[in-house]
């Protein structure tokens, strides 16, 4: 697991990095709009426009997410895969998503199709990003998965049953909430960009609380905030 990194370059920005990183955290961690973040900062006496918050999220959100992804331990060897249809400007787009057996998001990809070619592209993206091969993949009964698996992952066990795939189906829920908050997504590119940052940042601050005691949960959350400060370059005064 990667432990050291170079903090993002904040040169030329008028606001301190503590404010920038906090605004980005608010937007990606909670179901907030840019205007909501603007108002929360205003309550603390920080006058910043929602357009500035938008630019901060576009500029720094993905770099924060990439660093968090690099720092996490290797994910599980059972991959749950599913696809959900999004309507963007009246056109259907397919959001492909994969999670491991613990619910960690492994990758997402927005495409216009749900055929074998699209499934193979999704498999290749996962393998390139994760750099290891799963032991088992679990999907619904879409035939494209089987055809793609035979070519890309020939030695991997494949289980196809809708009831086995609740793990990944549940992981679509935060996306639906954000889609509603954002009054629908505007383009496939926007969905891909937003979810690529939203997934790692949001999930970093959401340990599986139902399995933890209160003291253990607080300790884990404190550790994750410390990691966030390292990623964003914030130095807390002790």
């Amino acid at each position: 697991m990667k432990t050291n990194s170079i903090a993002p370059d904040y040169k030329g920005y008028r606001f301190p990095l503590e404010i920038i990183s906090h605004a980005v955290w608010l937007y990606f961690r909670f179901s907030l709009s840019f205007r909501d973040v603007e108002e929360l900062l205003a309550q603390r006496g920080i006058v910043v426009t929602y357009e500035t918050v938008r630019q901060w999220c576009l500029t720094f959100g993905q770099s924060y997410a990439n660093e968090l992804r690099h720092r996490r331990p290797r994910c599980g060897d059972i991959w749950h895969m599913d696809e959900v249809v999004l309507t963007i400007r009246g056109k259907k787009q397919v959001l492909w998503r994969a999670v491991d057996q613990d619910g960690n998001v492994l990758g997402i990809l927005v495409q216009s199709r749900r055929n074998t070619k699209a499934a193979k592209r999704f498999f290749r993206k996962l393998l390139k990003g994760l750099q290891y091969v799963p032991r088992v993949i679990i999907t619904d009964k879409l035939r494209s998965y089987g055809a793609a698996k035979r070519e890309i992952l020939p030695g991997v066990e494949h289980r196809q049953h809708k009831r086995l795939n609740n793990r990944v189906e549940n992981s679509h829920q935060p996306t639906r909430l954000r889609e509603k908050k954002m009054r629908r997504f505007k383009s496939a590119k926007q969905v891909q960009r937003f979810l690529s940052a939203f997934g790692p940042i949001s999930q970093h601050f959401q340990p599986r609380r139902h399995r933890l005691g209160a003291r253990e949960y607080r300790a884990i959350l404190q550790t994750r905030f410390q990691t966030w400060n390292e990623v964003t370059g914030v130095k807390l005064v002790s």
Side-chain angles (χ1 to χ4, degrees):
M1 183 173 62
K2 187 176 177 181
T3 57
N4 56 351
S5 63
I6 300 175
D9 183 9
Y10 298 98
K11 185 178 179 180
Y13 285 85
R14 179 166 63 92
F15 287 88
L17 62 91
E18 290 85 356
I19 293 176
I20 295 174
S21 64
H22 184 67
V24 174
W25 173 72
L26 285 172
Y27 179 70
F28 286 110
R29 171 61 184 88
F30 304 103
S31 185
L32 300 172
S33 68
F34 294 120
R35 292 180 187 273
D36 291 334
V37 176
E38 176 187 9
E39 185 174 338
L40 287 170
L41 293 177
Q43 190 272 334
R44 295 192 173 197
I46 303 167
V47 180
V48 58
T49 69
Y50 71 91
E51 283 294 344
T52 298
V53 175
R54 186 200 306 274
Q55 288 303 316
W56 289 346
C57 292
L58 290 175
T59 302
F60 298 107
Q62 191 61 61
S63 62
Y64 293 166
N66 290 344
E67 186 59 32
L68 289 174
R69 188 183 295 111
H70 292 160
R71 286 169 175 256
R72 73 183 181 184
R74 197 177 86 164
C75 295
D77 59 358
I78 300 178
W79 294 2
H80 296 253
M81 301 182 184
D82 190 43
E83 72 291 337
V84 64
V85 175
L86 302 175
T87 301
I88 303 174
R89 296 188 180 277
K91 295 183 178 180
K92 303 293 185 182
Q93 296 287 339
V94 182
L95 171 62
W96 299 74
R97 187 192 307 271
V99 304
D100 70 2
Q101 63 265 40
D102 296 316
N104 297 308
V105 177
L106 305 175
I108 62 104
L109 183 62
V110 181
Q111 305 185 83
S112 60
R113 306 281 184 178
R114 58 194 307 177
N115 54 19
T116 300
K117 182 178 179 180
K120 289 194 290 187
R121 185 183 176 201
F122 183 48
F123 281 19
R124 291 191 181 102
K125 177 180 172 61
L126 288 173
L127 292 170
K128 181 179 179 180
L130 298 170
Q131 298 183 344
Y132 73 95
V133 175
R135 179 173 56 87
V136 178
I137 63 170
I138 299 174
T139 71
D140 58 24
K141 294 187 177 182
L142 181 69
R143 293 183 179 181
S144 301
Y145 286 117
K149 179 264 174 191
R150 285 191 291 273
E151 180 175 335
I152 307 297
L153 297 168
V156 175
E157 180 183 349
H158 185 196
R159 303 174 189 169
Q160 288 184 286
H161 195 290
K162 190 170 182 63
R163 292 184 180 179
L164 293 175
N165 230 16
N166 286 341
R167 179 76 67 195
V168 68
E169 289 170 1
N170 290 340
S171 74
H172 290 309
Q173 294 175 4
T175 300
R176 290 302 193 189
L177 289 173
R178 293 309 296 257
E179 181 185 25
K180 182 178 180 181
K181 185 66 179 180
M182 298 166 76
R183 299 180 182 178
R184 293 190 176 275
F185 297 116
K186 305 301 186 295
S187 68
K189 182 179 180 180
Q190 181 211 16
V191 180
Q192 184 74 47
R193 183 177 60 230
F194 169 74
L195 293 180
S196 294
F198 169 72
I201 294 175
S202 177
Q203 197 164 56
H204 178 73
F205 293 101
Q206 292 180 296
R208 305 189 74 184
R209 189 169 186 172
H210 65 283
R211 293 188 173 183
L212 304 170
R215 181 175 299 178
E216 186 180 4
Y217 170 75
R218 287 193 292 267
I220 290 176
L221 201 57
Q222 190 63 35
T223 299
R224 296 195 178 188
F225 274 117
Q226 182 178 349
T227 301
W228 174 257
N229 291 335
E230 293 172 0
V231 165
T232 61
V234 173
K235 295 180 181 179
L236 298 181
V237 178
S238 56

